[in-house]
Amino acid sequence: MTHVQPEVKKRKVDLQNRQFNPDWEWKYFVADVSDNVICLICKDKISGKKEYNVRRHYNSRHNDYDRMQMPEERKTKAKTLKSSLFQQQQFFTKPNLEAKAATLASISVCNIMAKRGKPYLDGEMVKEAILAAVENICPDKVSQFQSISLSRRTVTRRIE
């Protein structure tokens, strides 16, 4: 005789509609980042959006922050830590956004050149004109405009 185990239903945490409580930011120094709970002190990801998990992490690793008893003091510290975390995250995304913007600018210029029927070699002349204008208007952004690729090969590839 074979023994058959009953089918066990697994709980789906995603279906329980757990939500991040904004008060946790200053009580436990955590933030909701991309639908994850992140500790602002040690930058660890805390599993699940449950107060028990957040409190356990805080009590086991960051008890020294309990000396800040005033809510205003805790709120300003949490705000400082949160802005620090977002600055760290932007450090990696900003260059990617600049590269993406340079590519989109190059595509836009190539599109205009194709509509006007201009020779592909004119891309270098257009870039030179753009750089001359930028140097006079906003010299601090010249490096961003230098990264726009408008060589003959690039223009040919983008138009095709």
Side-chain angles (χ1 to χ4, degrees), residues 18-134:
R18 293 197 177 130
Q19 299 208 349
F20 181 81
N21 185 342
D23 289 341
W24 295 350
E25 274 187 20
W26 63 272
K27 283 183 181 178
Y28 306 115
F29 296 103
V30 294
D32 189 20
V33 179
S34 302
D35 212 31
N36 292 315
V37 179
I38 305 291
C39 177
L40 295 171
I41 301 167
C42 64
K43 315 292 190 271
D44 282 350
K45 179 181 169 188
I46 299 171
S47 61
K49 290 184 180 181
K50 293 193 323 192
E51 186 170 12
Y52 173 77
N53 292 349
V54 174
R55 187 179 342 110
R56 183 184 63 207
H57 172 84
Y58 177 76
N59 290 335
S60 65
R61 297 198 181 169
H62 309 298
N63 265 344
D64 54 332
Y65 278 83
D66 274 340
R67 65 177 179 259
M68 286 189 264
Q69 295 299 324
M70 301 298 290
E72 289 78 29
E73 184 182 3
R74 293 179 73 87
K75 286 178 183 178
T76 57
K77 182 66 176 175
K79 192 174 185 180
T80 305
L81 289 170
K82 189 175 181 180
S83 69
S84 167
L85 174 70
F86 287 126
Q87 284 177 346
Q88 288 176 359
Q89 290 176 336
Q90 275 191 327
F91 180 77
F92 295 107
T93 57
K94 189 175 180 184
N96 189 19
L97 293 175
E98 288 175 359
K100 199 178 260 187
T103 303
L104 289 174
S106 175
I107 291 170
S108 297
V109 171
C110 293
N111 188 19
I112 292 169
M113 289 174 61
K115 284 181 182 176
R116 302 278 171 115
K118 294 293 181 185
Y120 299 159
L121 194 60
D122 283 356
E124 293 171 1
M125 187 267 308
V126 170
K127 182 176 179 178
E128 194 176 316
I130 290 172
L131 289 174
V134 169

Side-chain angles (χ1 to χ4, degrees), residues 7-18:
E7 190 176 317
V8 179
K9 285 188 175 181
K10 290 189 177 185
R11 287 182 6 165
K12 300 266 186 194
V13 177
D14 296 342
L15 299 176
Q16 293 180 357
N17 291 332
R18 293 197 177 130

